[in-house]
Amino acid sequence: MNISNFIELINAQVLNYGATSSVYDFGIDLNKIKQASVFFAKNQEQANYAVKLGVYVIVSEEKLKLEDKEVFYLQVDNLEEAIFRLFRFFCEEKSYEFLYCNNIELKFAKAFNFKILNSNILLDFDLLKNSKEKTFFCSSDENFILKLKSNFHTLKSCEYEILGYKSLFQTSVLCKNLYFKELKFAFFYVDIFTSFIDFIEEQKLPFSFNDKKLELFKAYFLNSKNEICVFGGSSRVILLVENEEDFDFIVQKLQNTKDFKIALRNSLFCDFSYSHLKELKKFTDFKYCLIKENQEDFVSYFFPKKIENSLFD
C-alpha cells in the first residue's frame, strides 16, 4: 500500500517522513512482524524494537521519540480506531462478508466451519488480515461488525421435518430435500441447524458440518445413589450448562416437557433450590434436571468415590 494513502486512510499526523513510499504488511505482534511493514505500537519500547526489526512505519497514540529518521512515525488519536479504519478498507477490498449470530448460534457456526470473531480488533487482527477473499465471518456483536462493514447477514427460519422421536441426544432431520441422520444434538437446536443449512444454500457456500465441535450442554446419567454412571445406565439425567444464556434457552425449549425440572443455587425461580451440591445430590424427583454449575465441581462431587483399602483389609 502507498504510504501517503495509508496516512490518509487512518487519519494520522506525520511526526517524521521516512525514506520509502510503500509498505507490504501490517502488524501488532512483535513476534510476527515483517520487514518493510507497518507496526501499531502501544509505547516507545515496542516502537524501538520494531524499528530494529526493519519496519518502515510506526503508528502510535504517543508522540514518540525518533529513533530512526528513515522510518515514518505517525501519531493517531486512538490506536484501535486507526486499526478499524485499516480493516474497513481491507474488508471492502477483499469482499469479506459478515453473519451476525447470537451466542448459541455462534456455537453452530463453529461446527459449520465459519470463521468466528472474538469481536475484539486486537484479537481478530491476524484472522482478518490473513483470510482469503470473500470469507464469511461470524460475530455476536453487531456494533463490532458495523465498524468493519456497513451491512451484515442474519439467519432466517427454514422449514424442516424431524424424523423419529424427539431426543435430547441425537436428531435426524429432513431439510431442503437433504436427510441428516443422527446428528449429535438435541431436537430443540434444529431451528438453528436448519437456518444455517438455508443460509449456506442461499449463499452457495461449501457445506461442512462437524457436530463434535458443538459445545452445548453436558448430560450426566445418575444411578440410584445420584452418582454419575454410564450412558443409558439410569432413567435420570442431569443437563449441565455453565452460563445464563444457555440455561435460559433450554428452559424456554423444555419448560412444558413432562418430568423436566430446574435446579438452581439460592433461587426461588426453580423446582429445587440448593446452596451446596450435597443438597442437590438429594434431589431425585425428575427425569431431566437442568442445572447451571461449574462442570469440574459437579463431576468431582457426583462421580462415584473409590474406597481405598487400608493396610489391614
Side-chain angles (χ1 to χ4, degrees):
M1 178 184 288
N2 182 279
I3 290 180
S4 61
N5 292 338
F6 173 73
I7 293 169
E8 183 178 354
L9 177 65
I10 67 169
N11 193 27
Q13 177 185 355
V14 181
L15 302 181
N16 184 69
Y17 285 89
T20 188
S21 60
S22 298
V23 288
Y24 307 98
D25 196 23
F26 308 85
I28 59 172
D29 187 341
L30 287 169
N31 295 316
K32 299 177 183 178
I33 200 66
K34 299 176 183 178
Q35 289 187 337
S37 64
V38 172
F39 182 72
F40 294 89
K42 293 181 180 179
N43 51 51
Q44 186 75 52
E45 184 180 5
Q46 282 191 347
N48 293 349
Y49 192 74
V51 169
K52 292 178 181 178
L53 295 175
V55 302
Y56 283 179
V57 180
I58 296 290
V59 182
S60 179
E61 291 179 20
E62 296 184 15
K63 190 171 184 178
L64 300 173
K65 295 179 182 179
L66 308 182
E67 293 293 320
D68 189 333
K69 293 185 179 180
E70 300 294 307
V71 173
F72 274 87
Y73 282 81
L74 308 179
Q75 186 177 14
V76 293
D77 292 333
N78 185 294
L79 199 63
E80 287 194 17
E81 288 302 320
I83 296 172
F84 269 116
R85 285 174 173 267
L86 172 64
F87 277 117
R88 192 173 179 92
F89 169 78
F90 261 40
C91 291
E92 291 296 332
E93 186 179 55
K94 299 180 79 170
S95 300
Y96 286 164
E97 297 285 349
F98 294 86
L99 173 63
Y100 168 78
C101 301
N102 63 38
N103 287 326
I104 297 173
E105 291 168 344
L106 213 57
K107 297 179 181 186
F108 277 82
K110 182 178 179 181
F112 277 104
N113 291 311
F114 282 88
K115 301 284 189 182
I116 310 300
L117 295 169
N118 293 289
S119 301
N120 179 309
I121 196 63
L122 301 181
L123 297 178
D124 294 323
F125 191 99
D126 288 338
L127 181 61
L128 289 166
K129 186 185 76 168
N130 298 326
S131 294
K132 297 178 181 179
E133 289 188 1
K134 299 182 180 180
T135 293
F136 267 86
F137 296 93
C138 295
S139 170
S140 60
D141 188 331
E142 292 184 31
N143 292 330
F144 182 82
I145 296 174
L146 292 173
K147 285 186 176 182
L148 296 170
K149 194 165 183 177
S150 60
N151 57 75
F152 56 82
H153 301 271
T154 56
L155 297 170
K156 61 179 186 289
S157 60
C158 175
E159 291 186 2
Y160 62 84
E161 179 184 357
I162 294 178
L163 304 178
Y165 70 97
K166 292 182 177 181
S167 167
L168 294 185
F169 308 110
Q170 64 180 30
T171 300
S172 295
V173 61
L174 184 65
C175 172
K176 313 290 285 188
N177 294 319
L178 299 171
Y179 175 45
F180 301 95
K181 184 180 180 181
E182 296 179 356
L183 299 165
K184 292 179 177 58
F185 56 79
F187 70 91
F188 49 77
Y189 292 108
V190 172
D191 287 347
I192 298 173
F193 175 81
T194 54
S195 67
F196 271 101
I197 297 298
D198 182 65
F199 181 77
I200 287 167
E201 182 182 89
E202 182 182 86
Q203 298 296 325
K204 297 180 172 58
L205 301 174
F207 174 82
S208 175
F209 182 73
N210 184 355
D211 52 19
K212 292 181 180 179
K213 291 184 177 181
L214 288 173
E215 297 177 359
L216 304 171
F217 61 81
K218 299 291 184 182
Y220 296 98
F221 285 81
L222 301 181
N223 61 22
S224 59
K225 298 179 181 179
N226 257 9
E227 295 175 330
I228 295 171
C229 61
V230 296
F231 180 83
S234 169
S235 60
R236 287 187 291 110
V237 188
I238 288 285
L239 308 178
L240 183 148
V241 297
E242 297 193 76
N243 64 72
E244 195 76 32
E245 188 168 6
D246 284 328
F247 187 89
D248 291 343
F249 177 81
I250 295 174
V251 168
Q252 181 186 14
K253 296 295 184 180
L254 293 181
Q255 59 186 337
N256 296 320
T257 301
K258 184 180 179 182
D259 297 324
F260 171 69
K261 300 293 178 66
I262 303 166
L264 282 171
R265 284 184 184 265
N266 305 315
S267 173
L268 297 176
F269 304 100
C270 61
D271 300 296
F272 183 76
S273 178
Y274 62 97
S275 58
H276 190 276
L277 285 172
K278 66 181 180 182
E279 297 172 38
L280 177 61
K281 202 166 187 179
K282 298 176 183 177
F283 183 52
T284 59
D285 183 24
F286 64 92
K287 181 177 181 180
Y288 303 108
C289 180
L290 178 66
I291 65 173
K292 179 164 61 71
E293 279 289 342
N294 176 275
Q295 182 184 355
E296 186 177 345
D297 291 344
F298 173 82
V299 171
S300 65
Y301 199 85
F302 277 74
F303 201 79
K305 301 295 188 294
K306 292 183 180 180
I307 301 176
E308 296 183 2
N309 292 332
S310 71
L311 291 173
F312 303 102
D313 289 336

